[in-house]
């Protein structure tokens, strides 16, 4: 990795806070809010994602962001790349005809959806979110894109929590993470 990229990674890493026992005891929450309030750190995140995409996925058509923190980074990256941005939302949050997929959470089930006409068959997409933990949400988003017959080029996250092995659920997809814990 180039020296400039390394210093950007260090800047990003320095702007991630840890909160023990949040949202419940035993969880170490990784907070990205300091990245968002620091222009240099936010620019570094988008620079690093842009560098990754330009080096590895020149043919991408759309950036697809996951509800809700994928919405913070995805549009900025899409604008830089000169391509569109698509939302994957929690069930019931999008108007018009939608396609949905259900997936398991730690305690129960959830559903994600996308507007039926958001992605055309054959379009090449990259998914983006803030965090990869158990991989359930990103996996569901990939399945949703498959339902629309999109080609998933990969997934990108700011933070990967390696001990939760979310990467195992996404074995068939390339996953790019900026920071790993």
């Amino acid at each position: 990795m180039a020296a400039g990229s390394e210093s950007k990674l260090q800047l990003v890493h320095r702007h991630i806070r840890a909160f023990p026992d949040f949202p419940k005891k035993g969880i170490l929450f990784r907070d990205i809010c300091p990245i968002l309030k620091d222009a240099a750190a936010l620019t570094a995140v988008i620079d690093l994602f842009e560098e990754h995409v330009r080096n590895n996925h020149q043919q991408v058509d759309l950036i697809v962001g996951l509800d809700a923190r994928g919405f913070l980074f995805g549009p900025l990256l899409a604008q830089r790349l000169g391509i569109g941005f698509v939302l994957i939302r929690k069930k019931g949050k999008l108007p018009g005809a939608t396609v949905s997929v259900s997936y398991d959470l730690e305690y129960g089930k959830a559903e994600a959806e996308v507007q039926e006409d958001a992605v055309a068959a054959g379009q090449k997409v990259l998914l983006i979110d803030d965090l990869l933990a158990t991989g359930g949400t990103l996996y569901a988003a990939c399945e949703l894109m498959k339902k629309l017959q999109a080609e998933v080029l990969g997934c990108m996250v700011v933070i990967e929590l390696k001990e939760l092995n979310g990467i195992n659920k996404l074995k068939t997809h390339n996953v790019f993470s900026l920071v790993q814990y």
Side-chain angles (χ1 to χ4, degrees):
M1 184 172 289
S5 295
E6 188 61 37
S7 64
K8 288 177 185 178
L9 275 174
Q10 291 169 354
L11 179 63
V12 170
H13 200 278
R14 283 196 316 269
H15 282 80
I16 297 171
R17 290 188 297 195
F19 285 96
D21 298 322
F22 183 85
K24 63 183 184 178
K25 190 157 183 62
I27 302 289
L28 181 60
F29 185 84
R30 301 292 179 170
D31 180 25
I32 61 162
C33 290
I35 291 172
L36 299 173
K37 75 177 191 176
D38 184 278
L42 182 56
T43 299
V45 166
I46 303 307
D47 287 350
L48 291 163
F49 280 143
E50 179 185 12
E51 178 183 331
H52 171 75
V53 173
R54 291 199 188 280
N55 289 337
N56 299 283
H57 304 290
Q58 296 88 0
Q59 303 303 317
V60 64
D61 297 311
L62 295 167
I63 299 296
V64 178
L66 279 65
D67 196 344
R69 293 186 188 107
F71 302 171
L72 301 172
F73 303 107
L76 296 173
L77 178 60
Q79 183 181 40
R80 285 258 193 105
L81 297 169
I83 61 176
F85 176 76
V86 170
L87 306 168
I88 290 183
R89 300 285 324 257
K90 293 174 179 81
K91 182 88 173 148
K93 301 290 184 181
L94 290 170
T98 61
V99 176
S100 66
V101 65
S102 63
Y103 59 100
D104 292 323
L105 295 172
E106 193 173 337
Y107 301 106
K109 287 194 169 291
E111 280 189 81
E113 66 182 3
V114 65
Q115 288 175 322
E116 183 176 84
D117 61 354
V119 179
Q123 281 193 298
K124 294 172 174 54
V125 301
L126 283 169
L127 283 73
I128 191 167
D129 204 1
D130 68 322
L131 180 79
L132 172 58
T134 63
T137 306
L138 261 176
Y139 180 78
C142 291
E143 291 300 300
L144 198 49
M145 291 296 101
K146 281 188 204 171
K147 275 188 168 186
L148 294 177
Q149 300 175 350
E151 182 182 339
V152 177
L153 299 177
C155 303
M156 301 177 296
V157 294
V158 178
I159 301 167
E160 178 187 351
L161 302 177
K162 290 189 75 67
E163 67 185 22
L164 297 178
N165 297 312
I167 196 87
N168 292 341
K169 206 170 254 176
L170 298 162
K171 283 182 210 167
T172 60
H173 301 287
N174 295 318
V175 177
F176 175 72
S177 56
L178 296 182
V179 177
Q180 298 176 342
Y181 291 101

